[in-house]
Structures are given as structure tokens and as C-alpha cells.
Amino acid sequence: MDLFSHVLWTRVFTRNKLWDDEALVFAMLPDLGFLFVMMYVLLGKPMHLDFQDAMATMPPFILVVYYSLHSFVTLGIVAIIVWKLKPKLLPALSAWALHICMDIPFHSDVFGTRFLYPLLPDFYFSGLSWGDYRVLAASYFMLLVVWYYLEMRELSRHRSIVRRTDWLDRIESFAGGLINPKPISVGHGAERDNQGASGQVSGENLCGPEESQNCGTGTLAPPKAG
Ligand SMILES: [Zn+2]
């Protein structure tokens, strides 16, 4: 998909999260590989070659970078490293996963999304091109629908006195539990002072007054990266 779509869809799914800025970086990161491709096409290829012929003369490492950044294998390795070094950044990696998922059906041929690269270096699905106006129209229409739904959801919550959990809360809670089954014990002194020993972030409590007794501290998004 185009970079703008990646950014907007990520914004939809990470709205109101403390790690939304980091998520935006991860949403754009995979297309850093495409930036290298464009730099070669614009600056590095012989003048007489068109775009298609330039692909054949392009240094192989550029496509290796492109494929690697669109691979769940790379994402998995990075996720393990992040989990060990900075677990509170882990939810932001979901934006990277979303980017790959969005690209799988809408890229083909040399830019086909090798989502299992390098384990299966030539495995990809050939779908519609993201440049097809029907794909772009459907994507932006869906974007508007989802955005509108979330806005209305938020508005109704502001208006209601008792906040009830809905299906989105349950998904978030489930995902949070997978990532962080136990409360993060924040090891950094300053953060502990600010947030308490549970690692829970103020302002991100998904439970209303009626659920507060059952609200596990380990099912919430980790604190914002410093
Ligand atoms: Zn991409």
C-alpha cells in the first residue's frame, strides 16, 4: 500500500495509545527498503534504462533490505530483542505487522511481499496492485468508516456515566495479556516513582468503575517509551 495509507491505518488502530508515535515509525520502517529502490532508480541507474530494466541492474542487497523489512521472520527477531531490552515498546511493533499484512495482498512480482523471507525467499501472493484506483478507493472508504465508528464509540463513552467494556476492550485486554501476562516491574527508578510498582499507566485504564475489581494490571498497554 502507499505510505499514506499505512500511516492513516496505523493512526486508526493506535489512537489514544501512549506508544502511538513509536508505532508510526514502525509503520513506515518497512518502506525504507523502497526508499533505497527509488534512490537507485533516480540517482544510481544508467540514464538509458527505464524502471523495469533498472530492476535487473540494481544491486541485490537493496531488494534483500526490502524483502527483509517486509518479513515476519525479521519482525519476530526484532520483537524478541525488543521484548528483552525494552518490552514497553513491544505493542508499537504491531504497526510493523499491520504494514506487512496490508502489503501481502496488494504487491506482486519483484515487489511481492515475501513475508517469510529468507525462510521462503520466493513465496508471496500475487493480488491486486495497491495502485489500482479501486483498491485505494476501498481502502480510504474503509478508513472513513472505521474512523467514524471509533469516533462515535468514544463520544458515547464520554456521554455515558458507567463505562462498559465492549469487544474492542476485550481484544485489547487479550492482546495485552499475551504480550505482558504479568505486570511489568519497571526497573527504572524514575519511572517507578512516577507510575508505581505495577507499571500501569495512568490515563490508560480500560476498566470502568464497575470492572475495577477485576481489572488486571497486566492486561494494559505498557508505558510509553521514554
Ligand atoms: Zn511496504
Side-chain angles (χ1 to χ4, degrees):
M1 295 295 290
D2 61 297
L3 197 59
F4 203 47
S5 291
H6 285 303
V7 167
L8 290 177
W9 275 109
T10 300
R11 267 292 187 229
V12 164
F13 285 111
T14 64
R15 50 189 273 143
N16 300 332
K17 299 290 187 296
L18 292 175
W19 37 268
D20 58 348
D21 289 340
E22 290 82 356
L24 269 193
V25 174
F26 286 123
M28 293 187 284
L29 180 67
D31 283 350
L32 187 65
F34 189 67
L35 183 67
F36 292 147
V37 172
M38 293 311 296
M39 283 173 62
Y40 171 75
V41 170
L42 293 174
L43 305 172
K45 76 173 178 62
M47 291 293 288
H48 62 281
L49 294 181
D50 61 17
F51 187 86
Q52 289 299 332
D53 292 335
M55 291 295 102
T57 64
M58 189 165 61
F61 82 89
I62 294 180
L63 278 180
V64 169
V65 171
Y66 180 84
Y67 294 151
S68 299
L69 291 176
H70 285 81
S71 165
F72 288 122
V73 178
T74 309
L75 174 58
I77 294 170
V78 173
I80 291 171
I81 295 170
V82 169
W83 194 10
K84 294 295 176 191
L85 298 181
K86 204 150 186 166
K88 58 188 176 181
L89 260 185
L90 204 53
L93 284 178
S94 59
W96 189 343
L98 177 65
H99 183 122
I100 296 173
C101 290
M102 286 175 66
D103 277 357
I104 287 174
F106 300 121
H107 286 252
S108 56
D109 300 327
V110 69
F111 291 117
T113 305
R114 273 77 168 167
F115 57 94
L116 293 175
Y117 187 88
L119 298 180
L120 296 174
D122 281 319
F123 183 64
Y124 64 92
F125 296 109
S126 278
L128 288 169
S129 166
W130 63 264
D132 188 314
Y133 74 93
R134 290 165 297 185
V135 173
L136 288 174
S139 172
Y140 283 104
F141 177 72
M142 288 298 296
L143 205 52
L144 278 176
V145 170
V146 174
W147 195 278
Y148 178 77
Y149 173 77
L150 293 176
E151 283 289 337
M152 290 300 107
R153 174 178 178 254
E154 208 164 283
L155 198 62
S156 71
R157 290 186 160 210
H158 279 301
R159 287 175 176 168
S160 63
I161 300 169
V162 178
R163 182 174 167 181
R164 301 184 184 284
T165 54
D166 63 5
W167 64 280
L168 271 177
D169 289 329
R170 284 191 282 277
I171 290 176
E172 285 190 7
S173 180
F174 175 73
L178 289 178
I179 293 170
N180 178 32
K182 295 176 184 174
I184 297 175
S185 67
V186 182
H188 311 296
E191 292 178 0
R192 184 185 295 120
D193 292 343
N194 289 336
Q195 297 167 3
S198 69
Q200 184 174 332
V201 181
S202 69
E204 264 208 338
N205 191 345
L206 301 177
C207 304
E210 65 182 21
E211 297 90 4
S212 60
Q213 287 182 336
N214 300 324
C215 182
T217 54
T219 59
L220 299 175
K224 184 178 179 66

